[in-house]
Amino acid sequence: MTTHAHIPTWRAVNITPGERGGRVLIGLAAVIAGVVLLTRAGSVLAILLELLLVAAGLDLLVTGATGHCPLDQKLGHLPKTLERPR
């Protein structure tokens, strides 16, 4: 029988399953929209904004897929449904 070591805080799930699903869906939509818009970009400002949209979408995809949001961790936010009883 193996024992699991303490999960590092950077890997601990700190977002709810519903929020995870929302992040993945919105992140995927943002990445797709950003890539489509990049193909039609006409100015440097448009390209920068579309790259920011893709980056934000990728962030949402990663945090949704892993279930961990570093910003929520830094702010000390943990949904009540994920709190462990003491």
Side-chain angles (χ1 to χ4, degrees):
M1 182 189 263
T2 60
T3 58
H4 296 284
H6 176 68
I7 297 173
T9 56
W10 62 268
R11 291 189 51 197
V13 172
N14 64 355
I15 54 178
T16 64
E19 185 178 354
R20 289 179 75 173
R23 284 176 184 238
V24 169
L25 289 175
I26 293 170
L28 187 58
V31 169
I32 291 169
V35 169
V36 168
L37 290 170
L38 270 171
T39 63
R40 302 176 185 160
S43 69
V44 174
L45 179 60
I47 291 171
L48 289 175
L49 292 174
E50 288 146 10
L51 287 173
L52 286 173
L53 179 61
V54 171
L58 288 172
D59 179 64
L60 288 171
L61 273 172
V62 169
T63 58
T66 63
H68 179 76
C69 178
L71 180 59
D72 282 357
Q73 180 184 348
K74 287 254 189 226
L75 297 174
H77 173 63
L78 184 65
K80 290 194 183 295
T81 57
L82 296 178
E83 289 179 0
R84 293 182 185 160
R86 294 179 186 199

